[in-house]
Each structure stands twice: as structure tokens, then as C-alpha cells.
mmCIF file of all heavy atoms in Angstrom:
data_model
loop_
_atom_site.group_PDB
_atom_site.id
_atom_site.type_symbol
_atom_site.label_atom_id
_atom_site.label_comp_id
_atom_site.label_asym_id
_atom_site.label_seq_id
_atom_site.Cartn_x
_atom_site.Cartn_y
_atom_site.Cartn_z
ATOM 1 N N PHE A 1222 40.701 87.500 151.924
ATOM 2 C CA PHE A 1222 42.159 87.863 151.782
ATOM 3 C C PHE A 1222 43.019 86.824 152.398
ATOM 4 O O PHE A 1222 44.076 86.432 151.860
ATOM 5 C CB PHE A 1222 42.375 89.244 152.385
ATOM 6 C CG PHE A 1222 43.790 89.751 152.275
ATOM 7 C CD1 PHE A 1222 44.440 89.725 151.047
ATOM 8 C CD2 PHE A 1222 44.528 90.225 153.371
ATOM 9 C CE1 PHE A 1222 45.735 90.182 150.938
ATOM 10 C CE2 PHE A 1222 45.771 90.641 153.335
ATOM 11 C CZ PHE A 1222 46.402 90.662 152.049
ATOM 12 N N PHE A 1223 42.646 86.357 153.612
ATOM 13 C CA PHE A 1223 43.473 85.257 154.248
ATOM 14 C C PHE A 1223 43.456 83.964 153.370
ATOM 15 O O PHE A 1223 44.502 83.320 153.324
ATOM 16 C CB PHE A 1223 42.892 84.992 155.621
ATOM 17 C CG PHE A 1223 43.261 86.079 156.614
ATOM 18 C CD1 PHE A 1223 42.473 86.185 157.779
ATOM 19 C CD2 PHE A 1223 44.305 86.900 156.480
ATOM 20 C CE1 PHE A 1223 42.796 87.194 158.732
ATOM 21 C CE2 PHE A 1223 44.615 87.927 157.381
ATOM 22 C CZ PHE A 1223 43.856 88.028 158.551
ATOM 23 N N ALA A 1224 42.293 83.749 152.828
ATOM 24 C CA ALA A 1224 42.191 82.492 151.971
ATOM 25 C C ALA A 1224 43.091 82.675 150.765
ATOM 26 O O ALA A 1224 43.730 81.727 150.297
ATOM 27 C CB ALA A 1224 40.741 82.288 151.558
ATOM 28 N N MET A 1225 43.139 83.858 150.206
ATOM 29 C CA MET A 1225 44.060 84.123 149.101
ATOM 30 C C MET A 1225 45.514 83.990 149.458
ATOM 31 O O MET A 1225 46.309 83.399 148.708
ATOM 32 C CB MET A 1225 43.713 85.528 148.507
ATOM 33 C CG MET A 1225 42.442 85.672 147.834
ATOM 34 S SD MET A 1225 41.873 87.416 147.585
ATOM 35 C CE MET A 1225 43.111 87.968 146.448
ATOM 36 N N MET A 1226 45.875 84.522 150.633
ATOM 37 C CA MET A 1226 47.251 84.373 151.098
ATOM 38 C C MET A 1226 47.612 82.909 151.334
ATOM 39 O O MET A 1226 48.750 82.480 150.918
ATOM 40 C CB MET A 1226 47.420 85.153 152.404
ATOM 41 C CG MET A 1226 47.401 86.670 152.232
ATOM 42 S SD MET A 1226 47.581 87.507 153.890
ATOM 43 C CE MET A 1226 49.182 86.930 154.363
ATOM 44 N N ALA A 1227 46.699 82.147 151.887
ATOM 45 C CA ALA A 1227 46.971 80.736 152.165
ATOM 46 C C ALA A 1227 47.187 80.023 150.822
ATOM 47 O O ALA A 1227 48.035 79.146 150.716
ATOM 48 C CB ALA A 1227 45.858 80.145 152.957
ATOM 49 N N LEU A 1228 46.312 80.353 149.859
ATOM 50 C CA LEU A 1228 46.441 79.683 148.549
ATOM 51 C C LEU A 1228 47.744 80.035 147.847
ATOM 52 O O LEU A 1228 48.342 79.178 147.222
ATOM 53 C CB LEU A 1228 45.258 80.093 147.682
ATOM 54 C CG LEU A 1228 45.109 79.447 146.321
ATOM 55 C CD1 LEU A 1228 44.917 77.922 146.483
ATOM 56 C CD2 LEU A 1228 43.998 80.055 145.521
ATOM 57 N N VAL A 1229 48.205 81.294 147.964
ATOM 58 C CA VAL A 1229 49.454 81.672 147.386
ATOM 59 C C VAL A 1229 50.569 80.869 147.945
ATOM 60 O O VAL A 1229 51.484 80.427 147.254
ATOM 61 C CB VAL A 1229 49.675 83.201 147.582
ATOM 62 C CG1 VAL A 1229 51.134 83.643 147.192
ATOM 63 C CG2 VAL A 1229 48.690 84.001 146.687
ATOM 64 N N MET A 1230 50.639 80.765 149.319
ATOM 65 C CA MET A 1230 51.677 79.992 149.903
ATOM 66 C C MET A 1230 51.670 78.535 149.544
ATOM 67 O O MET A 1230 52.663 77.866 149.394
ATOM 68 C CB MET A 1230 51.603 80.183 151.426
ATOM 69 C CG MET A 1230 51.960 81.594 151.911
ATOM 70 S SD MET A 1230 52.038 81.780 153.693
ATOM 71 C CE MET A 1230 50.293 81.689 154.097
ATOM 72 N N HIS A 1231 50.385 77.991 149.473
ATOM 73 C CA HIS A 1231 50.262 76.569 149.090
ATOM 74 C C HIS A 1231 50.753 76.317 147.708
ATOM 75 O O HIS A 1231 51.468 75.322 147.399
ATOM 76 C CB HIS A 1231 48.756 76.183 149.210
ATOM 77 C CG HIS A 1231 48.481 74.764 148.817
ATOM 78 N ND1 HIS A 1231 48.882 73.691 149.488
ATOM 79 C CD2 HIS A 1231 47.837 74.304 147.745
ATOM 80 C CE1 HIS A 1231 48.536 72.582 148.883
ATOM 81 N NE2 HIS A 1231 47.892 72.901 147.779
ATOM 82 N N GLN A 1232 50.379 77.218 146.758
ATOM 83 C CA GLN A 1232 50.778 76.999 145.327
ATOM 84 C C GLN A 1232 52.246 77.276 145.145
ATOM 85 O O GLN A 1232 52.897 76.691 144.246
ATOM 86 C CB GLN A 1232 49.955 77.953 144.453
ATOM 87 C CG GLN A 1232 48.499 77.697 144.454
ATOM 88 C CD GLN A 1232 48.117 76.386 143.693
ATOM 89 O OE1 GLN A 1232 48.562 75.315 144.066
ATOM 90 N NE2 GLN A 1232 47.407 76.560 142.644
ATOM 91 N N LYS A 1233 52.883 78.077 146.020
ATOM 92 C CA LYS A 1233 54.297 78.381 145.939
ATOM 93 C C LYS A 1233 55.117 77.142 146.177
ATOM 94 O O LYS A 1233 56.163 76.926 145.583
ATOM 95 C CB LYS A 1233 54.684 79.447 146.875
ATOM 96 C CG LYS A 1233 56.087 80.018 146.710
ATOM 97 C CD LYS A 1233 56.404 81.200 147.618
ATOM 98 C CE LYS A 1233 57.745 81.727 147.322
ATOM 99 N NZ LYS A 1233 58.042 82.876 148.246
ATOM 100 N N ARG A 1234 54.612 76.266 147.090
ATOM 101 C CA ARG A 1234 55.269 75.012 147.347
ATOM 102 C C ARG A 1234 55.321 74.077 146.142
ATOM 103 O O ARG A 1234 56.171 73.190 146.015
ATOM 104 C CB ARG A 1234 54.620 74.273 148.573
ATOM 105 C CG ARG A 1234 54.732 75.060 149.862
ATOM 106 C CD ARG A 1234 54.341 74.206 151.020
ATOM 107 N NE ARG A 1234 54.195 74.943 152.228
ATOM 108 C CZ ARG A 1234 53.041 75.366 152.781
ATOM 109 N NH1 ARG A 1234 51.926 75.036 152.124
ATOM 110 N NH2 ARG A 1234 53.012 76.056 153.889
ATOM 111 N N LYS A 1235 54.334 74.284 145.275
ATOM 112 C CA LYS A 1235 54.216 73.504 144.056
ATOM 113 C C LYS A 1235 54.975 74.063 142.880
ATOM 114 O O LYS A 1235 54.986 73.585 141.774
ATOM 115 C CB LYS A 1235 52.703 73.295 143.643
ATOM 116 C CG LYS A 1235 51.893 72.573 144.665
ATOM 117 C CD LYS A 1235 50.440 72.445 144.117
ATOM 118 C CE LYS A 1235 49.574 71.715 145.085
ATOM 119 N NZ LYS A 1235 48.149 71.556 144.521
ATOM 120 N N GLY A 1236 55.659 75.209 143.153
ATOM 121 C CA GLY A 1236 56.386 75.870 142.107
ATOM 122 C C GLY A 1236 55.527 76.753 141.260
ATOM 123 O O GLY A 1236 55.969 77.184 140.131
ATOM 124 N N LEU A 1237 54.362 77.153 141.663
ATOM 125 C CA LEU A 1237 53.432 78.009 140.900
ATOM 126 C C LEU A 1237 53.444 79.401 141.510
ATOM 127 O O LEU A 1237 53.543 79.574 142.749
ATOM 128 C CB LEU A 1237 52.079 77.401 140.909
ATOM 129 C CG LEU A 1237 51.824 76.075 140.334
ATOM 130 C CD1 LEU A 1237 50.373 75.607 140.517
ATOM 131 C CD2 LEU A 1237 52.236 76.002 138.832
ATOM 132 N N VAL A 1238 53.385 80.411 140.648
ATOM 133 C CA VAL A 1238 53.299 81.806 141.024
ATOM 134 C C VAL A 1238 52.086 82.428 140.412
ATOM 135 O O VAL A 1238 51.536 81.964 139.426
ATOM 136 C CB VAL A 1238 54.591 82.571 140.635
ATOM 137 C CG1 VAL A 1238 55.812 82.043 141.398
ATOM 138 C CG2 VAL A 1238 54.773 82.497 139.085
ATOM 139 N N LEU A 1239 51.670 83.565 140.961
ATOM 140 C CA LEU A 1239 50.523 84.262 140.458
ATOM 141 C C LEU A 1239 50.878 84.882 139.107
ATOM 142 O O LEU A 1239 51.952 85.442 138.884
ATOM 143 C CB LEU A 1239 50.156 85.426 141.419
ATOM 144 C CG LEU A 1239 49.338 85.017 142.666
ATOM 145 C CD1 LEU A 1239 49.243 86.243 143.647
ATOM 146 C CD2 LEU A 1239 48.003 84.509 142.299
ATOM 147 N N ASP A 1240 49.906 84.821 138.150
ATOM 148 C CA ASP A 1240 50.040 85.471 136.892
ATOM 149 C C ASP A 1240 49.706 86.943 137.042
ATOM 150 O O ASP A 1240 49.402 87.442 138.150
ATOM 151 C CB ASP A 1240 49.245 84.790 135.813
ATOM 152 C CG ASP A 1240 47.799 84.812 136.088
ATOM 153 O OD1 ASP A 1240 47.291 85.576 136.934
ATOM 154 O OD2 ASP A 1240 47.069 84.044 135.403
ATOM 155 N N SER A 1241 49.692 87.703 135.963
ATOM 156 C CA SER A 1241 49.431 89.176 136.052
ATOM 157 C C SER A 1241 48.046 89.499 136.619
ATOM 158 O O SER A 1241 47.827 90.406 137.363
ATOM 159 C CB SER A 1241 49.635 89.801 134.686
ATOM 160 O OG SER A 1241 48.763 89.238 133.711
ATOM 161 N N ASN A 1242 47.021 88.658 136.206
ATOM 162 C CA ASN A 1242 45.651 88.892 136.737
ATOM 163 C C ASN A 1242 45.575 88.630 138.193
ATOM 164 O O ASN A 1242 44.891 89.344 138.902
ATOM 165 C CB ASN A 1242 44.707 88.011 135.985
ATOM 166 C CG ASN A 1242 44.549 88.331 134.524
ATOM 167 O OD1 ASN A 1242 44.515 89.524 134.187
ATOM 168 N ND2 ASN A 1242 44.466 87.339 133.686
ATOM 169 N N GLY A 1243 46.216 87.529 138.661
ATOM 170 C CA GLY A 1243 46.225 87.247 140.105
ATOM 171 C C GLY A 1243 46.937 88.283 140.868
ATOM 172 O O GLY A 1243 46.490 88.639 141.957
ATOM 173 N N LEU A 1244 48.081 88.770 140.399
ATOM 174 C CA LEU A 1244 48.802 89.804 141.046
ATOM 175 C C LEU A 1244 47.995 91.072 141.216
ATOM 176 O O LEU A 1244 48.007 91.733 142.233
ATOM 177 C CB LEU A 1244 50.179 90.123 140.318
ATOM 178 C CG LEU A 1244 51.238 89.156 140.468
ATOM 179 C CD1 LEU A 1244 52.442 89.533 139.561
ATOM 180 C CD2 LEU A 1244 51.723 89.053 141.889
ATOM 181 N N PHE A 1245 47.277 91.407 140.187
ATOM 182 C CA PHE A 1245 46.441 92.634 140.184
ATOM 183 C C PHE A 1245 45.417 92.531 141.259
ATOM 184 O O PHE A 1245 45.214 93.459 142.109
ATOM 185 C CB PHE A 1245 45.733 92.902 138.815
ATOM 186 C CG PHE A 1245 44.857 94.044 138.740
ATOM 187 C CD1 PHE A 1245 45.395 95.297 138.536
ATOM 188 C CD2 PHE A 1245 43.519 93.961 138.995
ATOM 189 C CE1 PHE A 1245 44.616 96.446 138.485
ATOM 190 C CE2 PHE A 1245 42.702 95.059 138.932
ATOM 191 C CZ PHE A 1245 43.214 96.324 138.703
ATOM 192 N N LEU A 1246 44.719 91.400 141.402
ATOM 193 C CA LEU A 1246 43.682 91.221 142.408
ATOM 194 C C LEU A 1246 44.302 91.154 143.828
ATOM 195 O O LEU A 1246 43.796 91.767 144.782
ATOM 196 C CB LEU A 1246 42.869 89.928 142.119
ATOM 197 C CG LEU A 1246 41.662 89.643 142.984
ATOM 198 C CD1 LEU A 1246 40.685 90.817 142.873
ATOM 199 C CD2 LEU A 1246 40.991 88.371 142.572
ATOM 200 N N PHE A 1247 45.403 90.436 143.933
ATOM 201 C CA PHE A 1247 46.081 90.288 145.238
ATOM 202 C C PHE A 1247 46.608 91.613 145.774
ATOM 203 O O PHE A 1247 46.403 92.002 146.946
ATOM 204 C CB PHE A 1247 47.172 89.310 145.136
ATOM 205 C CG PHE A 1247 47.742 88.799 146.430
ATOM 206 C CD1 PHE A 1247 46.939 88.172 147.379
ATOM 207 C CD2 PHE A 1247 49.109 89.029 146.723
ATOM 208 C CE1 PHE A 1247 47.442 87.751 148.620
ATOM 209 C CE2 PHE A 1247 49.640 88.590 147.969
ATOM 210 C CZ PHE A 1247 48.748 87.963 148.912
ATOM 211 N N TYR A 1248 47.290 92.349 144.913
ATOM 212 C CA TYR A 1248 47.844 93.654 145.318
ATOM 213 C C TYR A 1248 46.694 94.659 145.588
ATOM 214 O O TYR A 1248 46.860 95.486 146.498
ATOM 215 C CB TYR A 1248 48.810 94.175 144.259
ATOM 216 C CG TYR A 1248 50.139 93.458 144.211
ATOM 217 C CD1 TYR A 1248 50.924 93.527 143.027
ATOM 218 C CD2 TYR A 1248 50.611 92.718 145.275
ATOM 219 C CE1 TYR A 1248 52.132 92.845 142.982
ATOM 220 C CE2 TYR A 1248 51.820 92.027 145.201
ATOM 221 C CZ TYR A 1248 52.528 92.156 144.079
ATOM 222 O OH TYR A 1248 53.780 91.453 144.026
ATOM 223 N N SER A 1249 45.626 94.605 144.873
ATOM 224 C CA SER A 1249 44.501 95.476 145.127
ATOM 225 C C SER A 1249 43.980 95.176 146.506
ATOM 226 O O SER A 1249 43.641 96.168 147.208
ATOM 227 C CB SER A 1249 43.429 95.222 144.061
ATOM 228 O OG SER A 1249 43.823 95.631 142.804
ATOM 229 N N PHE A 1250 43.872 93.952 146.892
ATOM 230 C CA PHE A 1250 43.388 93.636 148.246
ATOM 231 C C PHE A 1250 44.366 94.126 149.325
ATOM 232 O O PHE A 1250 43.907 94.580 150.413
ATOM 233 C CB PHE A 1250 43.158 92.125 148.341
ATOM 234 C CG PHE A 1250 41.778 91.686 148.047
ATOM 235 C CD1 PHE A 1250 41.230 92.006 146.816
ATOM 236 C CD2 PHE A 1250 41.026 90.910 148.876
ATOM 237 C CE1 PHE A 1250 39.940 91.645 146.507
ATOM 238 C CE2 PHE A 1250 39.753 90.510 148.551
ATOM 239 C CZ PHE A 1250 39.196 90.859 147.356
ATOM 240 N N ILE A 1251 45.647 94.043 149.053
ATOM 241 C CA ILE A 1251 46.651 94.543 150.028
ATOM 242 C C ILE A 1251 46.539 96.073 150.196
ATOM 243 O O ILE A 1251 46.484 96.590 151.353
ATOM 244 C CB ILE A 1251 48.102 94.158 149.575
ATOM 245 C CG1 ILE A 1251 48.286 92.658 149.649
ATOM 246 C CG2 ILE A 1251 49.124 94.885 150.444
ATOM 247 C CD1 ILE A 1251 49.639 92.187 149.107
ATOM 248 N N ILE A 1252 46.435 96.782 149.090
ATOM 249 C CA ILE A 1252 46.302 98.256 149.168
ATOM 250 C C ILE A 1252 45.011 98.632 149.844
ATOM 251 O O ILE A 1252 44.885 99.596 150.607
ATOM 252 C CB ILE A 1252 46.363 98.858 147.770
ATOM 253 C CG1 ILE A 1252 47.805 98.554 147.187
ATOM 254 C CG2 ILE A 1252 46.160 100.397 147.848
ATOM 255 C CD1 ILE A 1252 47.896 99.028 145.690
#
């Protein structure tokens, strides 16, 4: 989960956001 969070922040700096599949997995881990 921490690796996923770090990757999200890293990709955000590049102007990239999670697609629907990534959001599903990321939110599932948060819940």
C-alpha cells in the first residue's frame, strides 16, 4: 500500500492520474 501511495504521488508530478482500474484497486486497499 505504501509503495502504491508513493507511486501515485510520483506519477502525479508527471501529470498522470490513476485510471478507473487503478482507482478501484487503490480505494479497495484504503477501505
Side-chain angles (χ1 to χ4, degrees):
F1222 182 51
F1223 285 159
M1225 291 165 65
M1226 289 180 61
L1228 185 62
V1229 169
M1230 292 185 290
H1231 176 71
Q1232 296 289 61
K1233 190 175 182 180
R1234 297 193 189 100
K1235 297 181 178 180
L1237 300 175
V1238 293
L1239 284 170
D1240 62 15
S1241 58
N1242 293 321
L1244 284 175
F1245 179 83
L1246 187 58
F1247 191 61
Y1248 287 159
S1249 293
F1250 269 53
I1251 293 176
I1252 298 173

